Amino acid sequence: MCGITGYIGYRKAYPIIINGLKRLEYRGYDSAGLILYDGKDIKMAKTKGKVSNLEEKITNNITTTGNIGFGHTRWATHGIPNDINSHPHFSESENLAIIHNGIIENYDTIKKELINRGYTFKSDTDTEVLVNLIEEVKKQKGVKLGKAVQIALNEVVGAYAIVVFDKTKPNEFVVAKLGSPIAIGIGEDNTEFFVASDASPFIEYTKNAVYLEDEELAIIKVGKSIKIRKIKDDSLVDANILELKLNLEQIEKGGYDHFMLKEIYEQPKAITDTFRGRLLANKGIIRMAGIDDNIQRLLNANRIIIVGCGTSWHAGLVAEYLFEDIARIPVEVEYGSEFRYRNPIITENDVVIAISQSGETADTLAAIKMAKEKGAFVFGVCNVVGSSIARETDAGAYTHAGPEIGVASTKAFTTQITLLTLIALKLGEAKGTLSKATYHTYLQEMELIPNKVETLLTINDKIKYIASIYKDATNFLYLGRGFNFPVALEGALKLKEISYIHAEGYPAAEMKHGPIALIDENMPIVVIATKKGHYEKVVSNIQEIKSRDGKIIAVVTEGDTTVKEIADHVIEIPETEEGLTPLLTTIPLQLLSYHIAVMLNKNVDQPRNLAKSVTVE
Ligand code: AGP
């Protein structure tokens, strides 16, 4: 997720762009850059780091004149965060400049073709490939920028929100959208236009905006009304101009009250972005360079040691069930803090998988360094490109969750599980420990998960009602079995860390070994009782709770009638493969903890005593 913003009109462009970038930093902060057109030439400044680093660089390098320009704050997906990979990018002729939010999946094929035609590239980004494709189309077809962009975009596969500028026609922008957001602010009488990932950079200048729809392209010229066309067939589209009612803070949170809720609702897109370009279900292929390049190390591993902390450790527990069930590889899961001090027995036949959203957790990083010293191969699963853990590991794969601002991890958890599931399936398929039929079923079912999460999110009001009943409880118990035991732990952690209510997660069968003594009419027990996975056993656990007057909040597979007869509240989730149920069962638990914390007036996004990244021991 990156932030893009641009201006064309009668005002000085620089202050609008730089302030706009600051407002968009929540969308990504690996690097930042901008261009300004001063009537003669395009001036560009870009740098690794935050927008404040860009401001310093601009002061010493370029004049800030000009009333046309655009800027970008990056969340890296291709190419590590550094100056040269920062946006904007020039085409080879330096006549065209582009900023881009999204992923071009087939950029490597297009890049090879352009290299064959004599193009050279300065960066490792997919974006530089796109701007040169547009230049090549413009040259070959002798068409204007808008037409060249339209033709080029019909050749790319992926997601984009782009702004393209041609210094040979300096009175217009071409803007296009597929999968990533673009808002166009429209000034009075079309005397000025603003382009941005959301309205936060221009809400103080105009409340009139058009939000491009997917596969739409707009040509923006000062003094003319905006022209919107369908990328597929160039047909004209009526501009739907909205009058915005949101204030600045609401815009940054996408209209949600908190970043945590926004990130819960971003999970369908985050899961899609994480398997995009990797999961080719109709071809029966899972493509992951980091795994492909090291497949023998993984297949021949004596065991896989998964290391993480907090929510990442819970994702590791889910992965343990997945890897052992699907790929038949022995797995153990370790807390980073315990593993690093335990003097464990590690050999070069071990593979360590380190999981970390931030990529900066000190205990996980230290555990990785120790494992490498003892000869293990270390694979990283991180959400932040170029983070310390991403750089320390021998290979890795990134979750494409986008920045996770809320301290309580939500989309990081589901995207970690998504990635780990793909790895387990890839290894199982390579080892032949998974039948072709099951393999293909999993691939097709994984593609349906984002829609099932979307459907699941519609039960928000029901969860809010349940939260209102139990918000004053002083203790919760979360129970689950098999793949959903780690989800019970994760649900308890979510509640603890944002509502400050004590909660414990347990394997459902463990209840009779102690926790059952806690149960009385004042204790809510959340039980994950999905159809697949020891269902009958969990039902008998629920009956044991009922007989002690515990209050039961059960998460069941839709259509369940048995648990409905016993539980106080039933939350239904769509049916899916057993190994994929954590991607769904965790959603209502995230919402439950969120609504209880809000009702208790807690600081949901920054809970007391917690930090988003624990970079200290
Ligand atoms: C989870 O909601 C917490 N924010 C915390 O447990 C977190 O998962 C843990 O600190 C690990 O962080 P990491 O994934 O960035 O390494």
Side-chain angles (χ1 to χ4, degrees):
M1 192 156 81
C2 305
I4 63 178
T5 184
Y7 175 77
I8 184 167
Y10 57 88
R11 302 176 208 256
K12 197 165 179 246
Y14 175 67
I16 296 169
I17 294 167
I18 205 76
N19 290 326
L21 288 177
K22 286 175 184 170
R23 288 181 182 158
L24 294 171
E25 269 195 314
Y26 74 89
R27 301 179 61 84
Y29 34 76
D30 289 329
S31 61
L34 58 75
I35 63 157
L36 292 166
Y37 181 71
D38 61 4
K40 289 194 298 302
D41 211 346
I42 302 177
K43 299 166 288 183
M44 183 191 282
K46 57 184 188 176
T47 181
K48 178 178 177 186
K50 290 187 166 258
V51 176
S52 51
N53 301 74
L54 176 64
E55 279 183 299
E56 278 167 43
K57 188 156 194 178
I58 283 169
T59 313
N60 310 325
N61 287 285
I62 64 168
T63 57
T64 57
T65 53
N67 55 13
I68 302 172
F70 50 57
H72 181 276
T73 180
R74 186 173 183 232
W75 182 262
T77 55
H78 289 82
I80 60 167
N82 60 22
D83 291 2
I84 199 64
N85 286 335
S86 311
H87 298 213
H89 289 281
F90 278 131
S91 62
E92 183 135 61
S93 68
E94 299 205 352
N95 286 334
L96 305 186
I98 191 171
I99 47 176
H100 168 219
N101 172 22
I103 297 178
I104 306 299
E105 293 171 32
N106 61 337
Y107 81 98
D108 46 357
T109 313
I110 297 170
K111 186 170 185 174
K112 288 188 184 95
E113 177 54 27
L114 290 169
I115 289 170
N116 291 339
R117 295 185 182 204
Y119 283 81
T120 56
F121 291 87
K122 301 180 183 65
S123 78
D124 307 326
T125 66
D126 51 346
T127 306
E128 191 185 6
V129 172
L130 179 55
V131 71
N132 278 312
L133 175 62
I134 294 166
E135 176 144 286
E136 177 63 4
V137 168
K138 196 164 178 290
K139 267 195 302 197
Q140 292 305 319
K141 309 258 183 196
V143 294
K144 289 182 182 170
L145 181 63
K147 189 65 183 166
V149 172
Q150 187 234 337
I151 295 169
L153 290 179
N154 275 302
E155 291 181 33
V156 308
V157 176
Y160 48 79
I162 57 171
V163 187
V164 192
F165 176 73
D166 176 357
K167 77 175 181 183
T168 65
K169 288 274 290 171
N171 64 345
E172 69 177 46
F173 280 157
V174 175
V175 180
K177 178 214 189 292
L178 173 61
S180 302
I182 276 234
I184 302 169
I186 301 172
E188 208 164 331
D189 303 330
N190 299 316
T191 53
E192 60 182 354
F193 289 93
F194 305 79
V195 183
S197 301
D198 64 36
S200 55
F202 61 75
I203 192 74
E204 66 204 85
Y205 298 101
T206 178
K207 293 201 179 299
N208 297 324
V210 167
Y211 284 81
L212 283 192
E213 298 293 338
D214 275 350
E215 297 185 332
E216 287 185 351
L217 174 148
I219 296 174
I220 298 168
K221 277 184 187 161
V222 172
K224 294 207 180 317
S225 54
I226 181 173
K227 282 251 175 315
I228 301 175
R229 293 178 178 280
K230 277 283 177 211
I231 293 167
K232 276 252 177 308
D233 58 16
D234 212 16
S235 56
L236 271 172
V237 175
D238 289 340
N240 175 21
I241 300 175
L242 306 172
E243 189 184 353
L244 300 176
K245 303 267 189 280
L246 295 171
N247 63 37
L248 189 54
E249 193 199 351
Q250 286 169 321
I251 290 166
E252 285 172 348
K253 290 172 185 162
Y256 293 97
D257 291 340
H258 299 94
F259 279 112
M260 181 180 175
L261 188 60
K262 175 171 173 270
E263 288 152 9
I264 289 172
Y265 275 79
E266 280 178 342
Q267 289 179 110
K269 181 177 184 317
I271 293 169
T272 303
D273 287 348
T274 297
F275 67 54
R276 186 195 300 279
R278 292 170 163 150
L279 171 60
L280 310 171
N282 53 356
K283 293 181 183 161
I285 297 171
I286 294 173
R287 198 171 53 186
M288 297 177 79
I291 297 292
D292 292 328
D293 296 347
N294 301 285
I295 192 88
Q296 290 314 317
R297 285 295 297 253
L298 286 147
L299 293 176
N300 302 328
N302 277 347
R303 65 183 166 160
I304 292 177
I305 303 166
I306 300 178
V307 178
C309 299
T311 291
S312 293
W313 183 75
H314 295 152
L317 288 173
V318 174
E320 178 179 24
Y321 287 85
L322 287 162
F323 279 94
E324 293 204 345
D325 183 50
I326 290 173
R328 308 305 296 154
I329 301 174
V331 174
E332 62 180 74
V333 185
E334 299 279 356
Y335 282 113
S337 55
E338 285 300 306
F339 191 59
R340 65 180 294 197
Y341 291 119
R342 206 190 66 202
N343 191 20
I345 298 161
I346 302 174
T347 73
E348 64 280 358
N349 299 320
D350 292 325
V351 167
V352 171
I353 296 181
I355 304 172
S356 176
Q357 186 286 129
S358 63
E360 301 299 340
T361 299
D363 285 324
T364 307
L365 185 57
I368 292 166
K369 288 178 176 171
M370 177 200 64
K372 283 181 72 175
E373 281 159 16
K374 292 175 181 275
F377 172 78
V378 185
F379 187 91
V381 173
C382 291
N383 191 40
V384 181
V385 175
S387 57
S388 303
I389 289 174
R391 281 181 283 112
E392 185 62 36
T393 51
D394 298 306
Y398 289 114
T399 52
H400 292 153
E404 187 176 66
I405 310 297
V407 164
S409 233
T410 50
K411 62 179 182 174
F413 182 61
T414 47
T415 53
Q416 286 165 350
I417 294 174
T418 299
L419 208 54
L420 291 159
T421 304
L422 293 181
I423 295 171
L425 288 167
K426 192 169 175 65
L427 297 179
E429 197 268 341
K431 287 185 71 170
T433 49
L434 187 67
S435 74
K436 286 264 179 258
T438 308
Y439 174 71
H440 286 287
T441 302
Y442 258 102
L443 266 56
Q444 279 143 16
E445 189 57 27
M446 175 63 91
E447 277 194 329
L448 302 175
I449 289 292
N451 285 341
K452 292 187 175 183
V453 171
E454 203 73 67
T455 307
L456 199 41
L457 288 165
T458 60
I459 62 167
N460 184 51
D461 290 343
K462 176 170 186 172
I463 305 291
K464 201 168 173 179
Y465 167 69
I466 296 172
S468 67
I469 299 170
Y470 299 105
K471 65 179 173 37
D472 299 317
T474 52
N475 276 296
F476 271 72
L477 201 52
Y478 286 72
L479 303 176
R481 276 183 186 254
F483 289 96
N484 284 298
F485 158 49
V487 178
L489 297 177
E490 173 61 12
L493 175 62
K494 288 285 93 54
L495 186 70
K496 273 183 276 201
E497 64 177 326
I498 62 174
S499 71
Y500 317 150
I501 294 173
H502 179 251
E504 277 191 271
Y506 258 93
E510 268 301 297
M511 191 182 59
K512 55 185 172 296
H513 299 282
I516 199 165
L518 291 170
I519 295 175
D520 60 21
E521 68 283 1
N522 302 314
M523 181 174 230
I525 297 99
V526 178
V527 188
I528 303 168
T530 47
K531 259 293 186 278
K532 291 178 182 161
H534 322 295
Y535 177 70
E536 292 70 24
K537 303 267 188 238
V538 179
V539 171
S540 58
N541 294 143
I542 291 174
Q543 280 155 343
E544 288 157 20
I545 296 167
K546 197 68 199 165
S547 61
R548 290 160 179 81
D549 299 328
K551 294 289 177 277
I552 298 158
I553 303 165
V555 180
V556 301
T557 306
E558 62 194 11
D560 184 304
T561 50
T562 309
V563 174
K564 200 170 269 185
E565 296 302 311
I566 320 166
D568 298 273
H569 310 275
V570 166
I571 300 164
E572 295 187 282
I573 68 157
E575 178 125 26
T576 187
E577 287 301 304
E578 183 183 1
L580 301 180
T581 51
L583 290 167
L584 301 178
T585 52
T586 198
I587 304 297
L589 308 192
Q590 292 170 345
L591 289 169
L592 180 66
S593 60
Y594 170 79
H595 287 302
I596 289 177
V598 169
M599 290 169 187
L600 297 177
N601 296 315
K602 303 302 182 192
N603 185 341
V604 173
D605 284 332
Q606 278 105 28
R608 68 184 182 195
N609 311 335
L610 289 174
K612 184 56 190 170
S613 174
V614 184
T615 55
V616 295
E617 293 193 17

